[in-house]
Amino acid sequence: MRRIRGWSIAAKLFALQLAVIVVLAGIAVALIWADARADVERDAVSTTMAVAQTIANDPFVVAAVQGDDPSADLQPYAVDVMREARIDFVTIMAPDRVRFTHPDPAEIGRAYLGNIDRALGGEPFSETYTGTLGPSVRSVVPIEDASGGVVALVAAGITVSTTQVALGARIATVVIAAGVMIALGALGAWLLSRYLRRVTWGRGAEEMSRMFAYYEGVLHSIGEGLVLQDDRNRVVLANDRAVELLGLPKPAGRDAAPAALETLDLAPAVADVLARDDAVVDEIVITPTHVLVVDRDVIVSRERPGDRGARRVGTVTTLRDHTRLQELTGELATMTTLSDALRSQAHEFANRLHTIIALIELGRTEEAVELASSELALSQALADRLLSAVEEPVLLALLLGKAAQAGERGIRFDVDLPERLAATGIDPRETITIVGNLIDNALDAAATTPAPAVDVAIDTRDRCLVVAVADSGPGPAAGARVFDLGVTTKQPTAGGGDHGHGIGLALVRQSVARLGGALEVDGSRFEVTLPLPAAAATVRPESADA
């Protein structure tokens, strides 16, 4: 049994098919043999009955059985009939069973072995009986005189050995046909087993089952999303991570039918990628909740390596979630901006300090005091305004950094704030993504104008945080489509920035959607409305009265 378990699927199938074919062939031979035997016996009964009736109706026989010496007249007659009719015996007897004829002359005068009761009653019949010549098929017919009385009986028979010889000739043909059938069936089973061995790589059923369990475990445990599609781009399989990233319905089971893309509630960007027939490498796709990096390979089937007759059987798509990476990248960019601005200001302050020292050494103290005071007032005014109004540390740092960055680039940067902006309770990462990208976009757009300026207005109303960013540029030509992945406000001929090559505002839209907010674009003015969390909305009025 253990050896059989180790067989490949192809070997097991071949053995099973061969066994089934042999059994079916054996059953067919048995049925045909039984039918042939019945035919032979029917032929024997028909032949013996015809011979016996012919003899019983022969006037010579009727006269001889009533003569003085029936055996002398009938024995030669019976021998001739047996030879001409090719039967094994003809026994003519008296009603008391005494034989007048027999193939063995020594049996003449002895009692006939067999049933004669029905014949004595005037009814011919046939039976299989074991007599002096062995088992035989015999027919017994009464011999009647002119008045209808039974004066003798005639029995004609064919021994079973003779019927078996006739049956053997017919069975030989059946056995040959069965052998040919087994050979053809075995050939077909062997060809099928070769095909199965090729497509299963010679693996057994238990091994295939273990491989399936291992692969399914790996499929559902990996951190990347995996989507398998057939040659018609229908989704055949999606692991748990892909279901989570794409918002797909949970699979109904292993036997679930492939799902067409049109029946799935996929983000348009994802549906466009999955509907394609070509390979994809590191393509960024933004859904309302995730930033995905998509890789897609086309799977082809070959009978053997190097086969030119390859055909496309489907695709394998992997999905990597870069949402957190993009958030961290935005935070790092903000910190880098602030660090660069501080480094640049330190350098500028060093230059101004050297200038002030030089003016003092030249004895021009008034000019030195005026220069130092003016620079201190200009740099400190915005910082004091922000520090006094903004209680959100992340938003405060972000605005300070962007103000320094604008000053370095020569862009006027104005911030309109209420008297006091309490902590919003919004996720700081979302704040960095939304405000940072909007200001970066405005700075890049304003840098291409003659009088660059950026205006930022932040306020709370109706339990919502409202952030409006406007610049001195003409505004995006794409309108609301500027929030689509790959659409940028960069002017190719102006030399300005492209603010993230079309991904920054797409991330803004994603974050706003995740927070349940709204976006509006009016020329170069971008306005974001974000609902405040319940706790922040409740605390805010008290802090405003403090």
Side-chain angles (χ1 to χ4, degrees), residues 88-89 128-138 158-162:
D88 293 317
F89 68 89
T128 299
Y129 191 84
T130 301
T132 57
L133 298 180
S136 61
V137 177
R138 58 183 66 182
I158 299 176
T159 61
V160 172
S161 60
T162 302

Side-chain angles (χ1 to χ4, degrees), residues 157-493:
I158 299 176
T159 61
V160 172
S161 60
T162 302
T163 63
Q164 290 176 344
V165 170
L167 180 62
R170 300 178 65 177
I171 289 299
T173 303
V174 175
V175 171
I176 293 174
V180 172
M181 182 175 64
I182 292 175
L184 292 177
L187 177 62
W190 178 73
L191 292 175
L192 180 59
S193 68
R194 280 195 61 189
Y195 167 75
L196 290 177
R197 186 179 295 110
R198 183 170 64 251
V199 298
T200 61
W201 296 348
R203 290 183 172 86
E206 289 78 9
E207 187 178 1
M208 294 286 286
S209 177
R210 288 194 300 270
M211 287 179 59
F212 177 80
Y214 293 153
Y215 290 165
E216 188 174 34
V218 171
L219 177 69
H220 292 286
S221 64
I222 59 177
E224 295 182 351
L226 187 66
V227 179
L228 306 183
Q229 296 173 265
D230 59 15
D231 56 345
R232 294 159 57 184
N233 282 336
R234 297 178 300 177
V235 176
V236 178
L237 179 65
N239 68 349
D240 298 340
R241 185 59 173 158
V243 169
E244 176 187 351
L245 294 176
L246 300 181
L248 297 174
K250 292 185 178 181
R254 294 180 179 176
D255 299 329
L261 295 178
E262 297 78 12
T263 63
L264 302 175
D265 187 18
L266 296 173
V270 175
D272 290 343
V273 173
L274 296 182
R276 291 162 55 178
D277 294 329
D278 57 342
V280 172
V281 179
D282 290 342
E283 182 166 328
I284 297 177
V285 174
I286 295 184
T287 70
T289 55
H290 295 89
V291 177
L292 305 177
V293 178
V294 180
D295 289 280
R296 196 162 185 257
D297 291 325
V298 179
I299 307 302
V300 296
S301 174
R302 291 184 174 89
E303 295 294 334
R304 56 185 62 86
D307 187 3
R308 295 182 179 180
R311 64 184 182 89
R312 180 179 180 274
V313 297
T315 57
V316 176
T317 303
T318 56
L319 309 169
R320 288 172 287 161
D321 186 11
H322 278 205
T323 305
R324 181 57 180 157
L325 179 60
Q326 291 293 338
E327 293 172 350
L328 293 176
T329 302
E331 294 178 19
L332 178 60
T334 301
M335 297 301 106
T336 302
T337 298
L338 182 58
S339 175
D340 291 342
L342 293 175
R343 188 181 301 111
S344 175
Q345 287 186 356
H347 182 69
E348 288 295 320
F349 287 152
N351 290 336
R352 295 188 182 107
L353 182 60
H354 292 158
T355 303
I356 293 172
I357 292 174
L359 289 173
I360 293 174
E361 291 177 349
L362 292 174
R364 308 186 69 168
T365 56
E366 294 183 2
E367 288 85 345
V369 172
E370 182 180 356
L371 177 61
S373 300
S374 63
E375 291 299 330
L376 179 61
L378 290 173
S379 61
Q380 192 66 27
L382 180 60
D384 290 342
R385 177 76 182 94
L386 292 175
L387 288 171
S388 64
V390 180
E391 294 183 4
E392 186 75 62
V394 173
L395 183 58
L396 173 62
L398 180 63
L399 291 174
L400 286 173
K402 295 303 180 183
Q405 184 181 7
E408 182 182 352
R409 298 176 64 176
I411 301 173
R412 180 177 60 81
F413 190 80
D414 291 334
V415 180
D416 182 13
L417 295 170
E419 290 297 325
R420 188 174 184 183
L421 183 64
T424 63
I426 297 175
D427 189 341
R429 294 173 297 181
E430 305 288 7
T431 302
I432 292 174
T433 299
I434 296 171
V435 180
N437 280 291
L438 287 178
I439 295 178
D440 285 341
N441 179 70
L443 291 174
D444 291 339
T448 63
T449 62
V454 172
D455 296 317
V456 179
I458 302 177
D459 198 359
T460 55
R461 60 173 180 265
D462 299 331
R463 296 187 178 182
C464 292
L465 176 68
V466 180
V467 179
V469 179
D471 59 70
S472 55
R481 285 195 61 252
V482 74
F483 294 101
D484 293 342
L485 178 64
V487 178
T488 177
T489 57
K490 175 182 176 181
Q491 302 295 331
T493 60

